[in-house]
Structures are given as structure tokens and as C-alpha cells.
Amino acid sequence: GHGKCDCGKCKCDDGWYGEACQYPTTCNLTRKKSNEMCKNSQDIICSGAGTCQCGRCKCGNSEGTGMVYGKFCECDDRECIDDETEEICTGHGKCYCGNCYCEAGWHGDKCEFQCDITPWEIKKRCTSPDGKICSNRGTCVCGECTCHDVDPTGDWGDIHGDTCECDERNCKAVYDRYSDDFCSGHGQCNCGRCDCKEGWTGKKCEHPRSCPLSVEESAKKCQGNSNLLCSGRGK
């Protein structure tokens, strides 16, 4: 909105400059305000890959490649360049914001690995017992599922299995990925299903089979501060 486009290049109005006429020649912002506008979600000015000019990031492309871009210079397509071939995504994919998206039959961070099985076999290996690809909880790469939930320690997370069919979050009374409180402490979690100890029942082994409480005590516990048992929404 600060110039005219002439054969693919901007001719800027007085008081504006830049490839897209995005920078004012004089700035009415304080340096503090300008820097605040340039901070990314981690509070880093222009992601450490550019300079802040009047509240807008000017990305560092000293080579003139234009490979660093984004509102906060958060995209660096140099990350897609393969060290050996020096090609973007090894010539087998497209780079978007520093990530390679590979053509069919190729995989890897830089699309450097070729898959040696047919698309039909890939789909077959990744299909879970319910007929979904990686149970809709993972990504299929060359016949192997990478589950979306990965434990920070490097072991498996709450979602695992050859086709991500096991979701152990189903075993937790209140979901907390760092909690080991499976099956209310009264059972064993097996691939997302609780096998309860003797004397306990329920999807999460939360109900005792025999109750030591009197009817009155039970009702009092279920009423709490409400006028109705279970707030009128349960038994």
C-alpha cells in the first residue's frame, strides 16, 4: 500500500523503501516498542536471523539468496540444503520454511533416502487393525509409522505400537503425560486398555466391585456441595 508495482518490482512512494515498500524512512516508534513488535514467540528479535527496522524484521540475506524469510525471519530454507549434494531436499522434494516435504518414494530430513517398497506395500504395513493409516495418530514413512506422541526421554510415549494402535492415555483417569497413574492404581494398562485387579472394575478400574460404604455415606460422597447426587448428571 506504499508504492506501485512495475514489472514485478516495487516503486515506493516517498517515505518508504524495501522490496515491498514495507519500511518507513523515518520511524515514529521508540526503539523499545519497535523491538517488541519484532520479537518471535520465544521473545527473540527477528529469531536472531535479521534486524528490526521500525517494528518490522529485515532478514539477513547477505548472499542475496532470499532463503531467510517470514514475519520474524523464522524460516531458513538453508536448513533444506543437503551437505553432500548441496541441492535443496536432494532434488527429491520441496522446501517450505526450512522443512523438506518429499516426493512419493523418498524420505528423510533432506529426502535423501529412497523407499524400496511399493506404495501398496507401504500402505499395507502402516494400516492399523481398524483400517486407518497409523491409527490416525502417526505418520507413515516407507512402511513404518512414526507416532505423533514421542516421550521427551527418548523412550516411547503414551502412543506406540507398529501402527500407533496403543494409546495409553486411555488408561489415565486424568490425562497428564508425566503421570504414571494408570488404571487408577488398580490395574495394568495393556495397549490402551485397563486389565483390572481383582475387586475392581470400570474402564479405568475406578469402581470397587464391593463397597465398604453405607448407602448414606456413599450418597454423601456423591453429593458434595451440590443439591443433587452427582450434580444430577450421573449415578
Side-chain angles (χ1 to χ4, degrees):
H2 303 297
K4 290 180 180 177
C5 186
D6 182 10
C7 198
K9 289 191 175 181
C10 282
K11 289 188 174 179
C12 301
D13 296 338
D14 287 342
W16 295 89
Y17 74 103
E19 287 181 5
C21 306
Q22 70 270 48
Y23 304 116
T25 51
T26 56
C27 186
N28 57 3
L29 298 175
T30 63
R31 178 170 288 191
K32 184 179 179 182
K33 177 66 176 173
S34 173
N35 286 344
E36 283 297 320
M37 291 171 68
C38 286
K39 286 182 180 178
N40 64 11
S41 56
Q42 284 82 44
D43 281 341
I44 300 171
I45 294 172
C46 301
S47 306
T51 56
C52 184
Q53 298 193 5
C54 200
R56 291 172 185 258
C57 286
K58 190 170 186 179
C59 303
N61 285 295
S62 54
E63 306 92 348
T65 57
M67 297 189 82
V68 182
Y69 57 95
K71 184 179 180 182
F72 302 108
C73 306
E74 69 276 17
C75 296
D76 188 349
D77 283 358
R78 293 173 300 184
E79 297 288 329
C80 292
I81 298 173
D82 183 70
D83 293 334
E84 290 184 16
T85 65
E86 295 188 351
E87 286 185 281
I88 287 181
C89 304
T90 329
H92 302 298
K94 300 282 187 185
C95 183
Y96 297 101
C97 199
N99 294 293
C100 282
Y101 293 84
C102 305
E103 295 170 357
W106 293 87
H107 63 103
D109 288 343
K110 309 278 176 66
C111 306
E112 67 270 40
F113 302 118
Q114 189 169 15
C115 192
D116 56 359
I117 59 176
T118 64
W120 179 84
E121 182 66 22
I122 291 171
K123 185 177 179 182
K124 180 184 172 186
R125 291 187 190 181
C126 286
T127 301
S128 53
D130 60 3
K132 296 171 183 171
I133 299 296
C134 301
S135 308
N136 284 350
R137 292 193 286 263
T139 305
C140 180
V141 178
C142 199
E144 292 188 4
C145 286
T146 302
C147 301
H148 288 155
D149 186 83
V150 180
D151 189 87
T153 62
D155 300 325
W156 72 43
D158 289 324
I159 299 172
H160 59 95
D162 289 341
T163 57
C164 307
E165 70 277 13
C166 298
D167 189 349
E168 295 191 352
R169 294 174 301 179
N170 294 333
C171 293
K172 297 182 178 182
V174 177
Y175 178 58
D176 175 358
R177 72 174 300 137
Y178 301 105
S179 165
D180 290 329
D181 183 26
F182 291 106
C183 306
S184 309
H186 305 299
Q188 176 73 41
C189 184
N190 292 315
C191 195
R193 192 192 75 244
C194 281
D195 292 333
C196 301
K197 292 177 183 174
E198 193 175 340
W200 293 88
T201 187
K203 278 190 176 181
K204 297 174 183 177
C205 306
E206 68 272 41
H207 300 302
R209 287 191 180 275
S210 60
C211 186
L213 302 176
S214 68
V215 176
E216 291 78 13
E217 287 173 321
S218 175
K220 189 176 180 183
K221 273 199 159 193
C222 287
Q223 188 168 344
N225 296 324
S226 171
N227 294 325
L228 302 170
L229 297 178
C230 306
S231 302
R233 293 192 287 266
K235 292 182 180 180

